[in-house]
Amino acid sequence: MAMADEPIVSIRDLYKLYRQGEIDVTALDNVSIDITRGEFVVLMGPSGSGKSTLLHIIAGVDRATRGKVLVQGINVANLTESELADWRNQNVGFVFQSFNLIPVLSAFENVELPLLLTQLNRRQRRQQAQAALELVGLSDRAHHRPDQLSGGQQQRVAIARALVTDPVLIVADEPTGNLDAKSAADVLSLLKGLTEQADKTVLMVTHDPKAASFGTRSLHLEKGEIVAG
Amino acid sequence: MTRLTFIAKNSLRNGRRALLTVSSVAVSCALLVTLLTLQRELTVPPESEAASLRIIARNKVSLAQPLPAKQLATIEKIPGVVAVTPFTFFGGNFRDETVTSFPQFAVDPARFRELLVEGKIIDGDYVEWVKDRTGCLVGADTVKRYGLKIGDRMRFTGTLYPCDLDLRISAVFQGTVDDRGLFFHHKLLDEATGDLGTVGTWYLRVASAEAANDVISRVNAAFANSSAEVRAETERAFQMGFVSMWGNVKILITSISSVVVFTLILVTVSTMSMAIRERFRELAILKALGFQRREIFSFILAESFGLACLGAGIGIGGAWSFWTFIDLQSLTRGFLPYFEVTPRIMATGATIAALLGIIASIAPSIAVGRMSVVDGLKTLD
Ligand SMILES: Nc1ncnc2c1ncn2[C@@H]1O[C@H](COP(=O)(O)OP(=O)(O)O)[C@@H](O)[C@H]1O
Ligand SMILES: [Mg+2]
C-alpha cells in the first residue's frame, strides 16, 4: 500500500513575507513538512509565530511568497482563484476559533451550505447534512439558529459543516479557544474520532497543551521556523 | 435550502433596515411616478378626433388681441368651412369665487351646434338656448359640481370685460374632451360692452381632417396684409401652443424628478454598502467554503435588486391605486382632469428602480471582490 504512505500534504521551503510599509515581516521561513493521511497534527507556538499563516496557505485561502505546497499531489500555488475555490470546497473543511456560522441560517442550513456548490440534488443534500449533524450529535438541534446554541454546540455544527463535503483535510485554527473545558474536550474527541474512524487528516492550531495531547504529532513554530518538538 | 432561500434570509436579516430601505424606495418611486404623471398631464392636451376638425383663428399679433367682427363674412365664404362662430373668452368669476374656475365663451348659438362635434345635449333643449338671449349651454361637469339644473341662474363678475353676466341655464352638454365649459350668446356680450365690433377668436369647423390644412392657408391668406392679420391652426395645435407655456414647469418637474432619483441612489447605495460591509466576515467564510466570486456577486446583486424591486412594486402600485381611485378632477376643480398613471410611466419607474438595484450592488461587489479570505476573517463581527 504505497499510496497510504504518500503524504497528503507536502510542503517544501515555504516562505511568506508580509510587507508593512518599509519593513518586511517574515511570517514563514523555510518551512518543510509532510503530513500523511489519518494524522492529527497539532501546530503550536507563541502568538505571531506564523501558525495561522501556515494553516491558511495549506488550506488554499492564502498564497506563499515562495516554496511548494502539494496537497494530494496537486500544487495549490498553480491554481487560479476560481479553481482554488472549487478545490477548497471539495478537499478542505474549515473550523475556526469563533465558529463563524452564518447567523441567519439554522444549524441544519449551515451544514448544508457547502453542499449548494456540489452536484447533489435537494434530497441528497438533506441526507448528507442530516448525517453530518448526527455524527456531531446535534440532530435534535437542527432547526436552532446559532444564537440559540451554546459555544460547544456551535463548534460542533461548524465541524459538521467542515466534514459534510467529505474532504480529505480538515483545518482548525484554535477551535477550542473560545470554549470551556468540557466543550473543548467534546470538540477534540470529535476531531480525533474523525482521524481514527473516518480516516480524515486534521491540522489543528492550538496554544493549549491539553488540546495538543489529542494529536498524533505536534509541530512547533517559532518566528516562522519549525523548531524541534 | 436553495440559493434563493439563502438570499431571501440574508435580505431580511435586519428587518428594520430592510423595511426602511424598501419604504424609502417605495416612497421615492411613488413620488417619481406622481411627478412624471403630473408632467404628462400638463404637457399632453386631451386628444380628440374632433379636435382636428376644428380650427381656431386668432389675431396674428397675440391671442389677447381681438379680431374685427366683420371678418365673419369673408371666412364664411372660404371653401371647406362648414361652420364658423365667434369664440370669445369671457373669463368671469362665478358667484363669489375669486378665480375663473371654469371657462365661459361667447359664441353664436345658431352656428355653434356644428362645432360641438362630440358633445350630446343631455338635459334641456339646444333650440331653447338659441332662442333665449340670456340663456347658456353648460358642460355636465360644471352642472354636477355646483349642483345646478335647467333654469338656474348663473351670475358672473367680469375680469377681462368691465361688465357682469346674468345667465340662465338652457341646456347641458356632455361627451367633449372637456365638459366644464359654458357658452352664451355673443350678442349679449356685445350689448353689455357697447358693441365693440370685435370677437376674441374665430372657431371653424371643416369637413374633414384632410381639408384642415387647406382651410388654414386660405384663412391666413384672406387677411394677409390687412389691419388684423389672422393666424389659424387646428384646435389641437392651438392647445399644444397653449401648453407650451408650461415649458418651465416641465423643466422644474424634470429637475425635481432627477433629484428624487439621485437621492434614492445615494440612500440605496449607502444602505447596501453598509449591509454588505457588516457581513464581510460571513462573505469571507462563504469564499473559504468554496463559493466563487461571481456567486457572491450574484448574491449581493439579487439582494439589492430584490429590495429595490420590492420597494418599486409597492411604491408604483401604491401610486397607481392612489391616483386611479382618488377623484383628482373634483379635488383640483378640474385643473387635473385625468392624471392617468400610464403603463409607460410605471415602466419608467420600475426601470429606474431596477437600475438602482444594480448600481447599489456595484460598490459592495468591488469591495468583496478585493477582500481576501484571510482579511475578511480578521474583520470583527
Ligand atoms: N496581513 C498581514 N500583514 C502584515 N503582517 C501580517 C499579516 N498577517 C500576519 N502578519 C504577521 O505575520 C506573523 C504571523 O502571523 P500569524 O500567522 O497570524 O501568527 P499566529 O497565528 O501564530 O499567531 C505575525 O508577525 C503577524 O504580525
Ligand atoms: Mg493565529
Side-chain angles (χ1 to χ4, degrees):
Chain A
M1 290 275 283
M3 282 293 289
D5 293 352
E6 284 274 298
I8 282 275
V9 178
S10 173
I11 292 171
R12 291 293 172 273
D13 311 323
L14 200 67
Y15 281 88
K16 178 69 179 181
L17 251 64
Y18 284 112
R19 173 149 291 167
Q20 278 187 322
E22 293 296 294
I23 318 153
D24 283 349
V25 179
T26 309
L28 292 175
D29 190 359
N30 199 24
V31 172
S32 298
I33 39 174
D34 284 318
I35 300 172
T36 42
R37 184 180 274 271
E39 272 196 292
F40 187 165
V41 177
V42 177
L43 202 50
M44 298 188 75
S47 183
S49 58
K51 305 182 297 291
S52 296
T53 305
L54 180 58
L55 195 82
H56 288 149
I57 292 172
I58 294 171
V61 291
D62 200 356
R63 289 181 188 272
T65 310
R66 217 161 357 108
K68 202 154 123 188
V69 182
L70 292 177
V71 181
Q72 286 193 300
I74 291 172
N75 192 342
V76 177
N78 290 342
L79 300 179
T80 65
E81 278 308 309
S82 168
E83 289 166 344
L84 204 53
D86 286 340
W87 178 83
R88 282 196 300 270
N89 181 251
Q90 289 152 22
N91 297 286
V92 187
F94 288 87
V95 181
F96 306 93
Q97 178 173 356
S98 47
F99 323 136
N100 283 334
L101 299 174
I102 308 294
V104 289
L105 300 182
S106 68
F108 186 86
E109 289 166 332
N110 263 289
V111 175
E112 195 189 352
L113 191 57
L115 296 178
L116 288 181
L117 296 169
T118 63
Q119 302 299 317
L120 300 180
N121 66 31
R122 210 173 169 146
R123 199 176 47 84
Q124 292 167 321
R125 289 203 302 265
R126 285 171 161 277
Q127 281 173 351
Q128 214 153 309
Q130 190 58 47
L133 263 186
E134 255 159 44
L135 195 80
V136 300
L138 282 175
S139 24
D140 58 331
R141 293 283 189 276
H143 300 295
H144 290 225
R145 269 188 290 112
D147 61 5
Q148 298 165 322
L149 298 172
S150 73
Q153 289 170 330
Q154 286 186 58
Q155 197 60 300
R156 276 148 66 198
V157 173
I159 292 171
R161 179 179 69 184
L163 59 85
V164 75
T165 51
D166 196 26
V168 282
L169 184 64
I170 290 174
V171 295
D173 197 344
E174 309 206 25
T176 57
N178 287 355
L179 299 179
D180 60 84
K182 165 75 173 66
S183 303
D186 288 348
V187 162
L188 291 163
S189 325
L190 245 175
L191 290 174
K192 191 166 181 62
L194 290 177
T195 59
E196 285 170 351
Q197 282 129 45
D199 209 20
K200 300 285 172 220
T201 309
V202 174
L203 179 57
M204 176 178 82
V205 168
T206 186
H207 269 47
D208 178 8
K210 232 201 236 149
S213 69
F214 281 78
T216 52
R217 174 156 68 113
S218 53
L219 297 168
H220 288 260
L221 269 177
E222 234 161 83
K223 291 179 180 159
E225 289 181 82
I226 297 276
V227 294
Chain B
M1 184 180 54
T2 61
R3 280 176 165 76
L4 212 62
T5 43
F6 180 57
I7 292 165
K9 285 192 176 189
N10 269 320
S11 308
L12 304 174
R13 62 164 52 201
N14 187 330
R16 186 191 305 177
R17 187 176 52 215
L19 190 72
L20 287 174
T21 311
V22 169
S23 325
S24 63
V25 174
V27 170
S28 307
C29 278
L31 186 57
L32 186 67
V33 161
T34 303
L35 285 167
L36 292 175
T37 306
L38 179 63
Q39 175 165 323
R40 176 178 177 273
E41 182 84 2
L42 293 180
T43 50
V44 180
E47 286 224 39
S48 136
E49 215 175 323
S52 50
L53 290 179
R54 286 183 297 240
I55 290 171
I56 290 183
R58 61 160 169 108
N59 193 303
K60 199 174 175 182
V61 177
S62 91
L63 189 58
Q65 291 288 318
L67 289 168
K70 61 177 179 351
Q71 287 182 339
L72 177 64
T74 315
I75 296 174
E76 273 180 324
K77 292 196 196 87
I78 289 173
V81 175
V82 174
V84 56
T85 165
F87 195 69
T88 305
F89 181 63
F90 180 69
N93 294 346
F94 182 47
R95 290 179 182 160
D96 301 325
E97 290 181 354
T98 51
V99 291
T100 303
S101 48
F102 58 94
Q104 312 99 39
F105 296 95
V107 298
D108 178 355
R111 303 163 189 252
F112 187 68
R113 188 67 190 93
E114 293 271 16
L115 287 142
L116 202 64
V117 182
E118 342 72 317
K120 306 262 175 299
I121 301 302
I122 56 161
D123 200 3
D125 188 356
Y126 192 92
V127 179
E128 285 303 312
W129 176 44
V130 179
K131 284 192 236 162
D132 183 357
R133 279 172 97 71
T134 61
C136 62
L137 172 69
V138 190
D141 287 355
T142 297
V143 168
K144 194 160 73 179
R145 180 167 145 205
Y146 294 98
L148 300 167
K149 58 182 190 308
I150 299 295
D152 280 358
R153 305 208 77 87
M154 293 184 79
R155 263 180 295 275
F156 294 90
T157 314
T159 57
L160 305 174
Y161 291 89
C163 60
D164 298 343
L165 292 177
D166 190 358
L167 305 170
R168 211 184 58 82
I169 301 176
S170 307
V172 177
F173 71 91
Q174 191 173 41
T176 69
V177 285
D178 183 356
D179 287 341
R180 292 174 298 162
L182 177 147
F183 304 95
F184 64 97
H185 286 243
H186 211 282
K187 282 201 179 96
L188 190 70
L189 182 64
D190 291 339
E191 276 167 22
T193 55
D195 211 349
L196 299 169
T198 59
V199 303
T201 59
W202 297 109
Y203 204 17
L204 289 68
R205 162 90 192 266
V206 294
S208 66
E210 292 72 40
N213 278 337
D214 287 343
V215 172
I216 285 169
S217 341
R218 285 180 202 134
V219 171
N220 288 339
F223 303 106
N225 303 316
S226 76
S227 59
E229 290 194 62
V230 160
R231 181 165 139 194
E233 55 198 349
T234 61
E235 182 180 295
R236 175 146 175 79
F238 178 81
Q239 284 168 331
M240 290 299 279
F242 202 64
V243 295
S244 70
M245 283 192 334
W246 290 107
N248 293 340
V249 177
K250 188 174 178 177
I251 292 169
L252 182 68
I253 293 177
T254 308
S255 325
I256 299 175
S257 304
S258 315
V259 171
V260 170
V261 171
F262 184 69
T263 315
L264 191 54
I265 290 175
L266 290 187
V267 168
T268 327
V269 165
S270 70
T271 312
M272 221 29 224
S273 297
M274 234 157 63
I276 297 304
R277 202 156 284 277
E278 71 190 27
R279 226 184 293 160
F280 251 42
R281 190 191 180 84
E282 280 173 53
L283 294 168
I285 309 283
L286 290 185
K287 275 192 175 182
L289 294 181
F291 283 87
Q292 300 280 353
R293 204 179 289 193
R294 65 180 133 74
E295 274 167 315
I296 294 174
F297 289 171
S298 74
F299 290 158
I300 296 173
L301 179 65
E303 180 171 339
S304 171
F305 194 77
L307 290 175
C309 288
L310 183 62
I314 295 171
I316 296 170
W320 179 83
S321 354
F322 187 76
W323 297 123
T324 303
F325 296 113
I326 198 172
D327 188 0
L328 205 60
Q329 168 149 19
S330 42
L331 276 183
T332 62
R333 307 191 150 194
F335 177 64
L336 302 170
Y338 305 104
F339 216 76
E340 184 191 358
V341 180
T342 62
R344 191 196 171 91
I345 289 173
M346 292 192 274
T348 307
T351 308
I352 287 173
L355 287 176
L356 192 77
I358 295 168
I359 291 169
S361 69
I362 293 174
S365 293
I366 291 173
V368 171
R370 284 203 188 129
M371 167 197 75
S372 74
V373 175
V374 176
D375 291 340
L377 288 176
K378 276 184 198 148
T379 55
L380 299 172
D381 317 75

